[in-house]
Amino acid sequence: MGSTTDVRSLTADELAGWVRDASSRLAELVADLSDEQMIGPKIPTINPLIWEIGHITWFMETFVLRRALAEPPIFEQGDAVWDSGAIPHDTRWSLVLPSRKETLAYVDEVAERVAERLGRTDATAQLRYITRYAVHHHDMHTEALTYTRQTLGYPAPTLPGAAVPGEVPDPPGEGGPLAGDAQIPGGRFLLGADRDEAFVHDNEKWVHPVDLAPFALARAAVTQAEYAAFVDDGGYRRREVWGDEGWTWRRGVDAQAPVYWRRGANGWERRDFDRWVPLEPHRPVSHVSWHEAQAYCRWAGRRLPTEAEWEAAAIGQPDGSGGLSPRKRRLPWGDGAPEAEHANLDWRHLGTTDVGTYPAGDSAFGCRQMVGNVWEWTASTFEPYPNFEQDPYRDNSWPWFGSRKVLRGGAWATRSRFIRGTLRNYFTPDRRDVLAGFRTAAED
């Protein structure tokens, strides 16, 4: 699933392959669902799946074919049904949409048209850039489609090149827990993306200096066993560990444990898509909100790292004299694209793996799985970097500054071609449907 192509040498043919692959994955993620399931219940955090795959495709058509190449729309009514910026969320269930057959044909047609245009001799660098932007928009949404299936209790998807439900391959490494902290030296760190990176989103622009004090960060994400100890110790009833906003949220949703947990006859169980399984003690806790992560940290006498600390621990390097080097890696293990031994990405295991797995992906400071498995909440509010430069798609970042919390690192359903050490994800602090966990830092 993961490409070993250097992002700086991506050819038009390779990008066309990404376009076809991204569009095929849309269809594969819903292939087994009924028409009724493709609509689903009205829930604030999700979209009707039939609408979402149309919207994702409309985005690629709009930015690549219509705006970059000035071609006429394929569906005259497309803007009226698939423009997420103009169509209120709650109305998406009542729209008169193209049929499932028409929608899937539209997915294929847009992909083929874009791939064909990339092969022309007059294809510009700007066309390749905006096409890649659209591919990564697909990638973000295919991850969302995956956890929407979890939200709705649908079966795990069956995907070419990924694990088959019930036949998940063993991950590299010995598994189990991974205790202890990594010591990260203080100093001046360059946060954000370099200008020589082939592709970044606007919220990563641009690299700028930040001063960090030395800190200690857990080598692994908080496990389900560790989080269960918090729950069993009455963590969800302890007002003092939640803070005002967190406590208001907890009471409002009546949270008593992570959203997909229940007590079974033999202990905690979690819902894995449409089935209940015994809680795997050494896997990272997932589907927890920022409020839950903060409450755990207070209970444990720890804290969430800032996103600058997270990035320094993930892709920073020691300078040989006890400080931080001015150079950083592109990914925790180096500059090479993710290989199968580095990280749990691309639906490889159809879920998380123990926090002790994937040792080849360790950072220079010995932190494990800072890419893949689960996104990790940070303490930081999502804000623009200095000298922010907005992307052509304004709604990617600008409307969300100040209202969301930053997550880093990617999850098991994140595409390997999408991930890099400077990538920022961002959700409101109440969201616990996403593939999110956290790791902790020692209190100063």
Side-chain angles (χ1 to χ4, degrees), residues 9-61:
S9 60
L10 192 65
T11 68
D13 285 346
E14 288 164 340
L15 183 54
W18 282 14
V19 169
R20 292 187 174 101
D21 172 76
S23 296
S24 294
R25 185 51 38 110
L26 290 183
E28 292 159 1
L29 277 165
V30 299
D32 62 317
L33 301 181
S34 68
D35 289 349
E36 182 179 6
Q37 288 173 314
M38 290 284 283
I39 297 295
K42 186 184 292 186
I43 297 176
T45 56
I46 66 173
N47 289 299
L49 294 177
I50 185 68
W51 180 90
E52 188 158 1
I53 62 174
H55 158 74
I56 299 164
T57 305
W58 170 88
F59 184 98
M60 178 173 281
E61 182 202 6

Side-chain angles (χ1 to χ4, degrees), residues 263-339:
R263 291 191 186 274
N266 298 308
W268 285 108
E269 299 174 340
R270 69 172 184 91
R271 180 165 65 76
D272 182 37
F273 291 99
D274 63 338
R275 63 195 184 101
W276 287 95
V277 299
L279 199 68
E280 307 93 341
H282 305 308
R283 293 192 185 187
V285 66
S286 184
H287 299 291
V288 289
S289 70
W290 186 84
H291 294 309
E292 289 168 295
Q294 284 281 67
Y296 174 92
C297 286
R298 293 190 187 101
W299 171 82
R302 305 276 289 184
R303 64 179 177 86
L304 290 177
T306 66
E307 69 166 320
E309 289 174 330
W310 190 100
E311 187 172 309
I315 59 174
Q317 300 183 88
D319 65 2
S321 61
L324 280 170
S325 169
R327 294 180 57 82
K328 61 184 182 183
R329 300 171 173 181
R330 185 172 183 271
L331 288 158
W333 52 86
D335 293 333
E339 301 281 359

Side-chain angles (χ1 to χ4, degrees), residues 3 34 46 76 95 116 158 192 195 210 213 221 261 271 295 299 320 324 360 371 380 385 403 408 436 441 443:
S3 170
S34 68
I46 66 173
E76 289 294 337
L95 294 169
E116 189 275 331
T158 299
R195 289 183 180 271
V210 295
W261 287 23
R271 180 165 65 76
W299 171 82
L324 280 170
V371 163
S380 299
Y385 287 161
S403 64
R408 292 299 201 99
E443 289 281 12

Side-chain angles (χ1 to χ4, degrees), residues 144-201:
L145 290 172
T146 303
Y147 61 74
T148 293
R149 292 182 68 118
Q150 167 73 28
T151 299
L152 297 175
Y154 294 167
T158 299
L159 303 171
V164 175
E167 300 178 15
V168 179
D170 292 332
E174 295 182 1
L178 184 66
D181 286 348
Q183 302 298 318
I184 316 300
R188 177 150 289 194
F189 179 69
L190 297 177
L191 177 65
D194 293 323
R195 289 183 180 271
D196 64 352
E197 182 68 42
F199 178 93
V200 297
H201 286 113

Side-chain angles (χ1 to χ4, degrees), residues 381-395:
T381 299
F382 182 52
E383 297 285 4
Y385 287 161
N387 304 315
F388 170 76
E389 296 179 16
Q390 187 171 288
D391 281 342
Y393 179 46
R394 179 184 181 276
D395 287 352

